[in-house]
Amino acid sequence: MSQVSDIERPAGAPEPDIRMATVDDVPRIVALIESAYRGDSSRTGWTSEADLLDGQRTDEADVTATVIDQASRMMVVESGADLVACCLVQHRETHAYFGMFAVSPKSQGGGLGKRVLTVAEQLARDEFGMTAMHMTVLRQRTDLIDFYVRRGYRRTGEMKPFPYGDERFGKPRRDDLEFEVLIKDLAA
């Protein structure tokens, strides 16, 4: 689909390649998402939710459903044989939705996430014809919200409840979790 040419990478390292995921990628996508958000391994990056949630963040059934959904595009980024990033862009009635975004903890901080987000926004605008991208972020993740605000997303103040009791989304370590809706207008 696209080369990710404007990120820093070690000398001699292959240039990451963005492509659409296939069902064969599902186990690696799940492992990547889990490594970026859950457990002690996630703590080496800045996107960890390990202080907020235990358990899984997603599973193979959820990711498979996304990969085969005609209204969704699951992008993956590979660097050599390594899966280093992924994200979902989903066509909804009035907007695109951005989710399942993960960058390998060892690949964070070098601009890869910014580039993947830019490619996702282009896909939402160019392929889906959408003029806005929505996402939800745990309101307690102020550092992550600030990351998106610096990239043109605006806080709406609209909150959505965390799905307490549904362990497919993790086991909360606190009782005040909720998601804030962020929106970016996608200029043509």
Side-chain angles (χ1 to χ4, degrees):
M1 176 181 172
S2 171
Q3 294 288 82
V4 185
S5 59
D6 61 348
I7 64 167
E8 295 179 23
R9 63 186 192 281
E15 186 169 307
D17 184 47
I18 297 178
R19 65 174 174 78
M20 292 304 148
T22 68
V23 172
D24 291 338
D25 294 313
V26 168
R28 293 188 331 150
I29 292 169
V30 171
L32 172 65
I33 292 170
E34 297 301 313
S35 75
Y37 291 97
R38 294 298 194 311
D40 288 335
S41 66
S42 71
R43 294 179 193 278
T44 62
W46 69 276
T47 60
S48 178
E49 297 171 344
D51 292 333
L52 300 173
L53 295 149
D54 292 320
Q56 71 181 33
R57 189 159 199 269
T58 193
D59 59 31
E60 288 192 15
D62 193 29
V63 175
T64 298
T66 300
V67 169
I68 64 175
D69 179 5
Q70 294 298 310
S72 297
R73 301 293 180 270
M74 176 64 88
M75 294 189 296
V76 294
V77 181
E78 293 178 309
S79 180
D82 295 328
L83 187 65
V84 295
C86 66
C87 73
L88 160 72
V89 179
Q90 187 175 61
H91 183 283
R92 297 203 174 163
E93 289 182 26
T94 61
H95 62 274
Y97 178 79
F98 180 76
M100 290 192 184
F101 186 32
V103 176
S104 168
K106 67 182 180 182
S107 299
Q108 292 178 13
L112 178 59
K114 294 173 200 170
R115 179 64 179 137
V116 171
L117 183 59
T118 298
V119 172
E121 291 165 356
Q122 290 170 345
L123 184 148
R125 185 181 55 248
D126 299 346
E127 184 174 336
F128 290 151
M130 295 288 118
T131 59
M133 180 88 88
H134 292 209
M135 70 173 72
T136 56
V137 180
L138 285 169
R139 73 168 172 84
Q140 290 81 2
R141 294 296 319 276
T142 56
D143 54 343
L144 194 53
I145 290 171
D146 291 345
F147 170 84
Y148 291 119
V149 167
R150 288 190 303 272
R151 272 136 205 93
Y153 287 81
R154 63 183 155 77
R155 300 181 78 165
T156 64
E158 177 186 349
M159 299 296 170
K160 295 188 178 263
F162 184 84
Y164 284 95
D166 188 344
E167 291 190 5
R168 292 178 306 149
F169 300 99
K171 298 175 185 175
R173 300 182 77 175
R174 48 195 288 179
D175 63 3
D176 64 342
L177 297 178
E178 62 184 347
F179 296 100
E180 182 170 356
V181 176
L182 305 179
I183 297 175
K184 181 175 183 177
D185 296 323
L186 302 175

